[in-house]
């Protein structure tokens, strides 16, 4: 498996994994109607534009040329955040490839790039019910930093995300 920056031709696979992973990971969190309404085509367009713009940075893990998963990251988007703070905007691995090491490889390469760009820490937001992801983040050195949770509505449900942070200097 190798991790590289996404190329324009990866946009379709990135979009497919985005939708498949949402449907698999969030089936007990996000309303079914909302998950069923997700459009691969719309996400393909969105990711095509991001790849062309180079923001957020998008890395893909490929095995025999087939995209297994991806990570997008950049400067932290939280209000009041400092320029030295990075954020994993999203990380999604194809459900058929979960627990094969793709997520770990993606995170390690993204962290290398963050360090090269002089970021000192990285944060991300996760549903507190997303046990698989939280276990993965703990293994990767993240912990819940106690920031106020984000509350929002999605598909008619009231949802909450909590913030996890990894400090690079410690
Ligand atoms: C969370 C997610 C990105 C993790 O990616 P992943 O590729 O499954 O993660 P990895 O395989 O690198 O690691 C997961 C576990 O598999 C284990 N693993 C790693 N390589 C392995 C291998 N070759 N064989 C078996 N197990 C392996 C790891 O040790 C890890 O276990 P641990 O947490 O007990 O240490 C992925 O599960 C996913 O896409 N989930 C749905 C979307 C999601 O929730 N995204 C996050 C939103 S905030």
């Amino acid at each position: 498996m190798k991790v590289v920056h996404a190329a324009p031709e990866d946009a379709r696979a990135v979009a497919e994994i985005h939708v498949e992973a949402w449907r698999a990971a969030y089936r007990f969190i996000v309303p079914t109607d909302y998950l069923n309404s997700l459009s691969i085509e719309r996400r393909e367009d969105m990711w095509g534009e991001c790849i062309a713009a180079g923001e957020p940075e998008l890395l893909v893990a490929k095995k025999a040329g087939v995209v297994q998963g991806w990570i997008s990251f950049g400067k932290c988007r939280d209000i009041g955040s400092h320029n030295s703070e990075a954020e994993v905007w999203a990380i999604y691995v194809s459900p058929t490839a979960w627990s094969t090491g793709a997520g770990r490889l993606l995170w390690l390469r993204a962290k290398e790039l963050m360090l090269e760009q002089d970021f000192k820490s990285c944060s991300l937001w996760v549903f507190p019910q997303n046990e698989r992801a939280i276990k993965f983040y703990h293994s990767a050195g993240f912990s819940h930093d106690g920031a106020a949770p984000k509350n929002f509505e999605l598909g008619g449900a009231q949802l909450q995300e909590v913030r996890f942070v990894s400090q690079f200097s410690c």
Side-chain angles (χ1 to χ4, degrees):
M1 195 138 39
K2 63 175 186 171
V3 175
V4 294
H5 276 98
E9 60 270 22
D10 296 324
R12 179 75 187 185
V14 167
E16 285 172 352
I17 290 171
H18 203 169
V19 170
E20 284 163 13
W22 261 70
R23 288 182 177 151
Y26 301 156
R27 67 186 191 282
F28 299 122
I29 303 175
V30 173
T32 307
D33 286 350
Y34 185 87
L35 293 176
N36 288 341
S37 75
L38 296 174
S39 159
I40 292 173
E41 286 68 29
R42 276 205 295 275
R43 291 191 182 213
E44 182 180 1
D45 290 347
M46 184 194 84
W47 284 115
E49 286 167 20
C50 291
I51 292 167
E55 194 187 350
E57 271 192 71
L58 178 63
L59 305 178
V60 288
K62 288 188 176 181
K63 191 173 169 187
V66 178
V67 178
Q68 307 291 305
W70 54 268
I71 185 168
S72 66
F73 65 96
K75 189 185 158 338
C76 179
R77 297 169 294 181
D78 297 345
I79 294 166
S81 65
H82 192 266
N83 279 342
S84 65
E85 295 168 34
E87 178 182 346
V88 172
W89 292 24
I91 177 167
Y92 288 94
V93 170
S94 170
T96 56
W98 285 354
S99 290
T100 64
R104 177 176 302 193
L105 280 183
L106 285 161
W107 163 244
L108 290 177
R109 182 63 187 133
K111 184 178 175 184
E112 275 177 3
L113 292 168
M114 289 173 191
L115 288 167
E116 281 174 27
Q117 295 166 33
D118 276 338
F119 286 114
K120 306 291 186 227
S121 66
C122 180
S123 61
L124 55 86
W125 292 88
V126 60
F127 291 125
Q129 307 94 318
N130 190 351
E131 289 174 17
R132 170 184 287 274
I134 286 175
K135 186 163 171 269
F136 170 80
Y137 292 140
H138 278 140
S139 302
F142 286 82
S143 54
H144 183 27
D145 80 339
K150 251 189 216 173
N151 296 298
F152 57 97
E153 184 269 330
L154 197 62
Q158 282 303 317
L159 299 176
Q160 186 176 79
E161 285 182 325
V162 292
R163 192 169 76 162
F164 275 59
V165 175
S166 170
Q167 299 288 346
F168 297 158
S169 49
C170 300

